[in-house]
Amino acid sequence: MRIGFVVCEPAKWGLGSLFEQLQSDPAFDVGFYPTLSDVHLRLPRSARQEEYRQIRAFFADIGSIRGDLYHSPTDRQAPPDAINCDIVFVQQPWGMQDLPRRLAGRVRTAYVHYGMAVIKNDQMQFGLPDFHPFLWRYFLPTQAHVDAINHSAGPRPPKMCVTGHPKFDAYLRPALPRDQCLSWPNPLAAQRKRVIFAPHHALEPGSLQLGTFAWSGPAMLQIAQAHPEIDFLLRPHPNMALGLSRSHVMNAQEWQAYRAAWQALPNAALFEDTPYFDTFRSSDAMVTDSGSFLAEYLPTERPLIRLERVDAAPLNSFGQTFAAGFYTADNQADLETRFAELILEGKDPLAQTRADLVPLLVPFALPAADKIVAELRSLM
């Protein structure tokens, strides 16, 4: 059986456990179809070409490239008939909202959303008319997500399978020792406290408006500067530069200067690699205004400070389940207070609450990859 993966952003790659299992099984012939995201397509031509070079190189290191959906020399995208396989997996609808419809009748399309849907964004999550109804399978992390789809208005995927999320298969494996996680500025000093700052790009009106970087960006840099005894990682969303520019919070030069100021600190580093679960598990806390990271970080059972704004898109019903496990801050003073309590003083009254929530995110002892492969084998 020929299995393809349409991929466009290395930072969003979360199907590693599934790809590895398929790659090791002689019953499957598996490879990548790299392309550019809708964000990359807005870049100048030379920047698009360089972005694609990096995307292609990243996935070529993991497995074989079965077809290019972007032709760099001519700066052209390939039509969907360039996808030649039995089943193709996609991870996001952005930039390919009609791909399942265009493949229908020739290639089965399977969908595993790259993140964990915790923000109320129903149409994009499961209501796109040219996307979701044309899926062969929608592999979902929990029954709660299926229930949300069944209670929504609009088109529905024809076949939904609850498998857990392949991203979370990492939590079923032994954690990498702290001193072997090299993403930290002082990796061998494993006893030092470690904090991840993960800002989101949705800042401008009309977006999900999750981002708080206008105040939290400078505040977190000040905290890192004030605490040289603690190690920090800046883990920005891949589209951070675009979000900052669109919202007029920072232009490209200001964003680069911010990154440089962060990297100049002896106790801080920039981390944009993927997969990132070993880094999560080697940390002591996260500060974020992201959506998916609220769920993806929770199985570490370490504290998370959620940065909030009053006009942000709300949590969906699944995300609300986890709200009791987050600490929150909506201004610099609150953030500094939370940081002092959690990191400096070690007070964590929500520790047991988080531990109780973990089974909702990792619902099966069996990896999600195993359950998805079993579904694929049902066709053979």
Side-chain angles (χ1 to χ4, degrees), residues 179-223:
D179 60 359
Q180 292 182 27
C181 190
L182 304 181
S183 51
W184 294 95
N186 299 290
L188 299 181
Q191 75 283 357
R192 288 168 60 91
K193 291 182 179 179
R194 296 170 168 178
V195 178
I196 299 171
F197 174 42
H200 197 267
H201 73 98
L203 294 148
E204 72 276 14
S207 71
L208 296 176
Q209 300 183 168
L210 301 176
T212 63
F213 194 84
W215 66 266
S216 63
M220 280 303 299
L221 181 58
Q222 291 174 21
I223 288 174

Side-chain angles (χ1 to χ4, degrees), residues 4-16:
F5 289 77
V6 173
V7 290
C8 60
E9 292 181 89
K12 292 180 178 178
W13 173 240
L15 299 182

Side-chain angles (χ1 to χ4, degrees), residues 54 95-96 183 191 195 307 342 347 350 374:
Q54 295 180 24
M96 52 192 79
S183 51
Q191 75 283 357
V195 178
L307 306 172
L342 292 169
K347 298 177 181 178
L350 298 181

Side-chain angles (χ1 to χ4, degrees), residues 9 14 69 97 105 114 170 217 266 272 275 280 295 313 322:
E9 292 181 89
L69 300 184
Q97 291 187 22
Y114 73 89
E272 296 176 295
F280 281 11
F322 301 98

Side-chain angles (χ1 to χ4, degrees), residues 88-369:
V88 66
F89 280 82
V90 296
Q91 282 193 270
Q92 67 173 42
W94 295 278
M96 52 192 79
Q97 291 187 22
D98 62 350
L99 183 61
R101 177 182 60 79
R102 297 174 72 183
L103 292 175
R106 190 176 68 83
V107 178
R108 295 182 175 97
T109 304
Y111 182 41
V112 183
H113 192 285
Y114 73 89
M116 180 68 77
V118 299
I119 302 297
K120 189 172 179 58
N121 189 17
D122 291 357
Q123 182 181 15
M124 188 61 73
Q125 300 295 353
F126 40 71
L128 295 171
D130 292 325
F131 189 91
H132 295 93
F134 292 91
L135 296 174
W136 166 71
R137 295 289 187 273
Y138 188 173
F139 294 107
L140 288 149
T142 73
Q143 184 60 41
H145 289 90
V146 174
D147 294 342
I149 293 174
N150 287 333
H151 286 92
S152 68
R156 290 182 174 80
K159 178 86 182 266
M160 296 177 281
C161 300
V162 178
T163 59
H165 199 298
K167 272 190 172 183
F168 288 78
D169 289 351
Y171 286 116
L172 299 176
R173 304 169 181 167
L176 190 72
R178 280 172 66 100
D179 60 359
Q180 292 182 27
C181 190
L182 304 181
S183 51
W184 294 95
N186 299 290
L188 299 181
Q191 75 283 357
R192 288 168 60 91
K193 291 182 179 179
R194 296 170 168 178
V195 178
I196 299 171
F197 174 42
H200 197 267
H201 73 98
L203 294 148
E204 72 276 14
S207 71
L208 296 176
Q209 300 183 168
L210 301 176
T212 63
F213 194 84
W215 66 266
S216 63
M220 280 303 299
L221 181 58
Q222 291 174 21
I223 288 174
Q225 292 167 334
H227 294 282
E229 77 283 6
I230 298 173
D231 287 336
F232 293 83
L233 283 183
L234 172 63
R235 210 295 178 180
H237 189 282
N239 296 337
M240 197 70 199
L242 179 64
L244 291 168
S245 175
R246 285 179 170 178
S247 60
H248 306 291
V249 172
M250 281 186 179
N251 59 32
Q253 292 74 25
E254 290 167 333
W255 171 232
Q256 290 304 319
Y258 179 88
R259 289 159 55 100
W262 194 274
Q263 291 176 284
L265 296 175
N267 63 320
L270 180 66
F271 175 67
E272 296 176 295
D273 294 339
T274 196
Y276 41 74
F277 285 98
D278 283 333
T279 301
F280 281 11
R281 298 171 87 178
S282 68
S283 68
D284 295 294
M286 175 181 281
V287 179
T288 188
D289 47 22
S290 175
S292 185
F293 277 7
L294 298 177
E296 293 182 31
Y297 190 75
L298 195 142
T300 67
E301 298 188 24
R302 278 104 192 201
L304 181 147
I305 302 174
R306 186 188 182 206
L307 306 172
E308 296 183 320
R309 52 188 277 185
V310 295
D311 56 349
L315 296 171
N316 60 21
S317 57
F318 182 71
Q320 290 169 12
T321 306
F322 301 98
F326 310 143
Y327 300 94
T328 61
D330 60 9
N331 59 68
Q332 182 169 346
D334 283 351
L335 173 58
E336 291 172 349
T337 298
R338 290 297 192 194
F339 185 89
E341 292 172 347
L342 292 169
I343 310 304
L344 303 182
E345 301 170 23
K347 298 177 181 178
D348 186 9
L350 298 181
Q352 187 58 53
T353 300
R354 290 194 305 278
D356 293 341
L357 291 169
V358 171
L360 298 178
L361 290 165
V362 190
F364 307 110
L366 195 69

